[in-house]
Structures are given as structure tokens and as C-alpha cells.
Amino acid sequence: MVVHRLRSAGPGILSLASLRRKSSNTVSAVRDTYLSTKEVFERHRVVFTVGTSIASVLTAWAGYSIRYAHQSNVEKRLQSIEESLKNSSGVEHEEIKKIVSSGKVGMSACVATAWTTLVCTRLARWCMVHQPSDSKRTIEKNGSN
């Protein structure tokens, strides 16, 4: 389609002078657009500064409002969970605290766990070290010494 348009436009469309003129017009149009946009921004600098400041404040307020609403929903949900725990099992708040904070482990349990771990790891290590190797098995199967 572009080739057809170029052919129908005549022989002068592809001349060096016409290409220079078109490129010069294009550069001039881009420069004019840039300068006019720059002039508008410079003339209205205060308006843009105030507008962006207001937009920033509104964005921060919206973020805070959303976070506050989410936090209040989470607190309501936690409160309802706490109430259902109190009501379903008949346990009072102080008893729940006692159950949660009674995570003390006796010394005998610690010693028993430590000795069991020590014995299990030593046994596993002994089994790994004293396991017959593949070369010994091959020798035994073949009957060679």
C-alpha cells in the first residue's frame, strides 16, 4: 500500500530535497511541541505542585483508611474467636492464660530426650561404619581371598 502511494505521488516524492524538507518539518514540529509543553508547565508550576501535593495526601489518607479498616476487621475476628473458645469449652479467660503459659518442661524430660538422641545417633553411626562394603560382598560371593 505504501509502495502504491509512493508511485502514484510522482517522481518528486523520493528526491533528496523532499526528504530533507520532510525531516526538517518533522524536527520543527517536535521542537515546537516540546517548547509549548515546557511553557505550559512553567506557567502552571504552582498549580502542578499543589495538585501533586494534594494527590499525595489523598493517597496516604486512603492507604491509612484501608489499613485501619483491615485492622479493625482482624480485631473483630480475633474477638469472636476468643468468645467462641470461652463459650464452647466453658473455660474462663484466666484458665486459657494458664494453659497457654504452662509450657514448662521438666528436667527429667530434657535429660531423657538428650540421652535418647545420643543413643540413636551413635547407633546409626555405628551401623553405617560397620556395614560391609560392596567389595567384601563381591569377594565373598566369588570365594576369593
Side-chain angles (χ1 to χ4, degrees):
M1 179 165 185
V2 174
V3 176
H4 178 67
R5 197 180 300 166
L6 288 174
R7 285 185 189 159
S8 66
I13 188 99
L14 293 176
S15 69
L16 187 59
S18 68
L19 288 177
R20 281 186 184 167
R21 184 174 36 88
K22 287 186 181 218
S23 67
S24 174
N25 289 344
T26 303
V27 169
S28 177
V30 169
R31 185 179 301 129
D32 288 344
T33 304
Y34 169 75
L35 291 176
S36 66
T37 305
K38 182 180 174 185
E39 182 183 339
V40 167
F41 272 95
E42 286 176 356
R43 251 190 287 147
H44 297 64
R45 185 182 312 172
V46 173
V47 174
F48 290 131
T49 303
V50 170
T52 55
S53 297
I54 291 172
S56 176
V57 167
L58 290 175
T59 303
W61 176 78
Y64 174 77
S65 299
I66 291 170
R67 189 181 70 199
Y68 181 77
H70 176 70
Q71 181 67 26
S72 64
N73 287 340
V74 168
E75 287 178 5
K76 287 178 187 175
R77 180 71 179 138
L78 288 175
Q79 187 68 27
S80 69
I81 290 172
E82 185 178 334
E83 290 297 322
S84 68
L85 280 174
K86 283 181 184 178
N87 295 336
S88 66
S89 63
V91 179
E92 293 298 320
H93 187 67
E94 294 298 321
E95 291 179 18
I96 292 174
K97 280 186 177 179
K98 189 187 294 184
I99 291 170
V100 170
S101 65
S102 68
K104 297 178 183 177
V105 178
M107 185 63 162
S108 58
C110 289
V111 171
T113 303
W115 275 105
T116 303
T117 305
L118 179 69
V119 169
C120 289
T121 54
R122 293 289 179 159
L123 181 62
R125 177 75 179 140
W126 184 85
C127 289
M128 288 173 55
V129 168
H130 291 90
Q131 190 176 26
S133 65
D134 289 338
S135 60
K136 287 183 182 179
R137 290 182 189 159
T138 306
I139 293 171
E140 290 173 0
K141 284 182 182 178
N142 294 335
S144 305
N145 285 334

